[in-house]
Amino acid sequence: MKTAGEVVKFLNENKGVTVYELSQSFGLSKAALRKRLISLGYTENSMGEWKYNGKPEEEPKDEIVSGKRMKRKRTNETKDIDGNWEYKESPDLYAALLALPIGSKLVSKAFKTDEEIAERFKQFCKTAGVQIGKMHSLALYEFIEKYEPIVQKMIEEGKKK
């Protein structure tokens, strides 16, 4: 049992075995296998069943997840010269998370937001199986990528007047 498809099938058929135990049996850290499955687009529901959250024909069943290192085949995105990601089709959440620029230093920031929005965000992160901090980074990154050029253009047009 080495591939994502085999692991998911095993976990779904053997409810007494957790993904953490299976990960350690492969000689990996406790959470490595879970992280690998999530990075491939799999999620675990509240009953402990794993499923793929994409198009069935794109399911990465043959990706090897039990080795010391997992090598991902990136099929739905290409990297342009500027280092920005361009998607050939609609991006999936997990590909976007993997494409986040990796900084050398993490910072902690406190902020206030609407309670309903915060709760929805928390529930979304839990459902997606992604850490809230990583999802905050993605949300802020995509916000800046979308609105920074617009604000820059407004500033430049204001200087011309």
Side-chain angles (χ1 to χ4, degrees), residues 72-106:
R72 287 253 355 242
K73 298 174 197 164
R74 296 187 184 256
T75 57
N76 70 334
E77 70 258 2
T78 58
K79 194 170 187 180
D80 69 12
I81 294 172
D82 295 336
N84 296 321
W85 289 94
E86 293 179 354
Y87 294 92
K88 295 178 184 174
E89 52 194 60
S90 63
D92 76 29
L93 174 63
Y94 304 100
L97 285 164
L98 289 171
L100 262 176
I102 299 171
S104 60
K105 184 178 179 183
L106 295 176

Side-chain angles (χ1 to χ4, degrees), residues 5 10 33 69 72 85 92 99 101 120 145 147:
F10 179 83
L33 185 58
R69 296 224 181 256
R72 287 253 355 242
W85 289 94
D92 76 29
R120 282 181 62 197
E145 289 292 306
Y147 289 107

